[in-house]
Amino acid sequence: MTAAAAVATASAATAATAAVTGNWRKAGLAGAAIGVIAAGAAAGVAIERMTVGRGMRRRARLALDASGPYGALRGAPGKALADDGTELYYEVEDTEPVGEGPEANGAVGASSGPRRRRLFGRKAPTPVTVVFSHGYCLNQDSWHFQRAALRGLVRTVHWDQRSHGRSARGVSQSGPGAVPVTIDQLGRDLKAVIDMAAPEGPLVLVGHSMGGMTMMALADQFPELVRERVVGIALVGTSSGKLGEVNYGLPVAGVNAVRRVLPGVLRALGSQAELVERGRRATADLFAGLIKRYSFSSKDVDPAVVRFAERLIEGTPIDVVAEFYPAFTDHDKVQALSVFLEVPALVLAGESDLVTPSSHSEAIADLLPDAELVLVPDAGHLVMLEHPEAVTDRLADLLARVGAMPSEANVGRHGSTAQPGG
């Protein structure tokens, strides 16, 4: 489970409680249980309301939406078909950037594989491709800073997991015969994307939270692909299992209450998606407070970055939040990590991650003794947005070590996200 899960679930449950009266008892129960999570954020919002009017806060959000450059990078678009027919959207960036911003969207044709250059009549060696997998309730744009830093230096693939971003709603999760989504399904989705976007050549796999779990599921089901082609991995703020034991920074009574009611509450909320979405919009201030608590640890994160994270999570419908949640309770890929034993690895997490605690990254590193373990101080779950320079620096070092790019390449500083003067 990711920060997005805690945030989206808490805000949705609170919103539903506000939007529904009397006859929907589950919503009231949800509000009571999830309210434990929301209490700290709500207190901060209440203090803010004493000094800043609602209209002014709304105008501030709109201004940040208009001015923030985050999430504007685009590559050559393509689509892969999952084994159940779900269309998975991806973008490829070769070592020659294809442009950025809205004007580049759709300006280049779909990419079905690596660009090939001929030297003296022979095919040049296929470059290393770095495949980025994002977390729950996010999309490929959550890698904005790393994408900006690596443009033109290494071939990359960014993709949206099923039911997220520009990918289609999961076919298996739709209609009368719908089945629950699983982490194993996400692993097969990643294989489908690799088959289309990088069918040959060495690979470096990079995953945040659910994206890291997706990589583990790929290794579990396709160990030969890892052995034959994967030359490096980076696991960021993720877990190999035991997510049901995470307390999200709550007291024991609070977390136990949430665990008892959350599965049923999510099913109820997912069945009332339109109503809940209206409630979510009505409680935008509380939502923003929850985002900050469960995504970041630094007190001086750029408000535009916080708002960017909020927009990413807002873009995930509540029924998608509901259908993915059970998969995390069942997630257990400890054995699959052995497939990565011979692969150079980076394991990185924020020291103050409340959603996937850094102890989970330490447990992964214990099983991958040759991995580089990096715990970033004063960082929460969205460490790649909160401290992008730290994540990019360690990722660039991994890419240089496995020969994906020259060691002397300058990845630049794409982004201290601290507020000016902070």
Side-chain angles (χ1 to χ4, degrees):
M1 185 172 176
T2 70
V7 171
T9 301
S11 62
T14 306
T17 304
V20 184
T21 58
N23 60 345
W24 191 14
R25 295 180 59 192
K26 284 186 177 180
L29 181 60
I34 306 297
V36 179
I37 297 179
V45 169
I47 293 171
E48 182 188 1
R49 280 178 173 163
M50 296 172 63
T51 56
V52 183
R54 182 176 180 178
M56 186 176 293
R57 291 194 302 275
R58 181 175 179 277
R59 287 193 296 274
R61 284 196 294 271
L62 290 173
L64 289 172
D65 288 346
S67 63
Y70 310 126
L73 304 178
R74 298 271 66 90
K79 288 182 180 178
L81 277 184
D83 56 8
D84 66 348
T86 301
E87 284 193 348
L88 304 169
Y89 177 85
Y90 65 83
E91 293 179 359
V92 177
E93 295 207 40
D94 280 290
T95 51
E96 296 173 0
V98 297
E100 57 189 84
E103 70 278 4
N105 201 9
V108 286
S111 172
S112 60
R115 180 180 301 166
R116 301 175 182 180
R117 295 184 176 86
R118 297 277 180 175
L119 296 179
F120 303 105
R122 291 182 296 176
K123 188 171 67 175
T126 305
V128 176
T129 299
V130 186
V131 183
F132 286 85
S133 301
H134 67 79
Y136 178 34
C137 296
L138 301 171
N139 63 44
Q140 63 176 270
D141 292 341
S142 61
W143 295 107
H144 173 87
F145 292 104
Q146 292 69 44
R147 185 171 186 165
L150 295 174
R151 293 191 113 193
L153 297 175
V154 63
R155 186 176 193 271
T156 60
V157 173
H158 292 79
W159 70 292
D160 293 332
Q161 303 242 30
R162 64 173 52 216
S163 303
H164 291 70
R166 294 174 174 83
S167 284
R169 196 77 163 76
V171 171
S172 296
Q173 289 71 56
S174 305
V179 297
V181 71
T182 63
I183 302 298
D184 283 340
Q185 175 66 69
L186 303 184
R188 295 194 296 275
D189 290 353
L190 175 55
K191 174 65 161 53
V193 170
I194 289 171
D195 287 346
M196 280 299 295
E200 58 184 14
L203 301 168
V204 174
L205 305 179
V206 183
H208 169 247
S209 198
M210 182 178 77
M213 301 175 206
T214 299
M215 289 165 50
M216 297 174 207
L218 175 81
D220 196 28
Q221 297 170 96
F222 305 100
E224 68 286 350
L225 172 68
V226 174
R227 285 192 289 268
E228 293 171 5
R229 297 186 56 197
V230 175
V231 298
I233 63 168
L235 297 165
V236 180
T238 191
S239 172
S240 58
K242 298 187 177 179
L243 287 168
E245 300 175 7
V246 177
N247 65 16
Y248 306 108
L250 299 176
V252 173
V255 75
N256 286 343
V258 170
R259 283 176 183 154
R260 279 198 303 273
V261 303
L262 193 52
V265 165
L266 280 171
R267 285 193 297 272
L269 295 176
S271 70
Q272 300 284 336
E274 184 178 347
L275 177 65
V276 173
E277 293 300 342
R278 288 203 303 269
R280 250 166 106 169
R281 292 190 291 272
T283 55
D285 292 338
L286 177 59
F287 188 77
L290 286 164
I291 287 281
K292 201 160 188 182
R293 171 166 171 73
Y294 282 97
S295 298
F296 306 107
S297 175
S298 312
K299 299 193 184 306
D300 63 345
V301 180
D302 183 349
V305 171
V306 177
R307 176 58 189 155
F308 174 51
E310 187 180 337
R311 289 203 318 272
L312 289 174
I313 296 170
E314 282 176 348
T316 308
I318 187 59
D319 51 340
V320 174
V321 177
E323 85 186 18
F324 270 68
Y325 174 75
F328 301 107
T329 304
D330 298 335
H331 171 61
D332 181 356
K333 286 290 182 282
V334 171
Q335 297 303 317
L337 289 173
S338 63
V339 181
F340 292 128
L341 271 173
E342 304 300 319
V343 178
L346 167 67
V347 180
L348 185 147
E351 271 192 344
S352 302
D353 191 335
L354 292 175
V355 180
T356 312
S358 58
S359 59
H360 286 235
S361 288
E362 292 179 291
I364 291 172
D366 285 344
L367 295 170
L368 299 175
D370 294 331
E372 178 187 16
L373 174 64
V374 178
L375 302 182
V376 182
D378 197 24
H381 190 62
L382 299 187
V383 59
M384 69 284 190
L385 292 176
E386 185 174 15
H387 293 293
E389 66 286 351
V391 176
T392 301
D393 177 73
R394 301 323 305 149
L395 180 57
D397 182 71
L398 172 69
L399 295 178
R401 278 193 286 130
V402 302
M405 67 182 197
S407 58
E408 66 273 12
N410 182 11
V411 297
R413 288 182 58 82
H414 284 269
S416 170
T417 59
Q419 299 181 52

